[in-house]
Amino acid sequence: MVDLKKLELELAKLKACREDLYVAFEEFNKRGFSKEAVEWRLKINEISISIARTENHIRDYHNFMWLINNLDSRGILSKGVRNLVH
């Protein structure tokens, strides 16, 4: 099963990394290093995609757990699935 705390930690690390990359990107732009700035911009885009992917993974986890809890509260979740999830 997915550990939500690990996903949230990964998301925080990715966001911090993106902020650091923005700082480097701005610094390269100020100094006129356009080639390096483009490389950093590509890295920022890759990190942004990873952030979106991780946020979607967290959202999917919340939706899945809501579904499981809903089925469990109505008493229609099988015992085998209940043991697997919890």
Side-chain angles (χ1 to χ4, degrees):
M1 197 65 183
V2 175
D3 187 7
L4 185 59
K5 298 272 187 212
K6 287 182 182 178
L7 284 175
E8 290 172 344
L9 180 62
E10 179 68 21
L11 181 61
K13 288 191 307 187
L14 287 170
K15 286 183 176 182
C17 181
R18 182 176 60 182
E19 291 303 316
D20 292 343
L21 289 173
Y22 273 129
V23 170
F25 172 73
E26 290 298 323
E27 194 61 34
F28 280 120
N29 268 342
K30 285 180 189 176
R31 294 183 183 185
F33 298 123
S34 59
K35 182 180 176 186
E36 289 83 0
V38 169
E39 292 173 7
W40 285 102
R41 187 68 197 157
L42 292 173
K43 290 178 184 180
I44 291 170
N45 288 342
E46 289 174 13
I47 294 292
S48 295
I49 290 169
S50 294
I51 288 171
R53 190 177 299 129
T54 304
E55 288 173 338
N56 288 336
H57 200 88
I58 291 171
R59 192 173 310 110
D60 288 345
Y61 177 82
H62 283 296
N63 290 340
F64 177 73
M65 291 310 296
W66 177 86
L67 176 66
I68 294 299
N69 291 333
N70 189 337
L71 293 174
D72 193 28
S73 68
R74 292 193 282 162
I76 55 178
L77 187 66
S78 71
K79 187 175 182 175
V81 174
R82 188 177 305 120
N83 290 336
L84 180 66
V85 171
H86 299 289

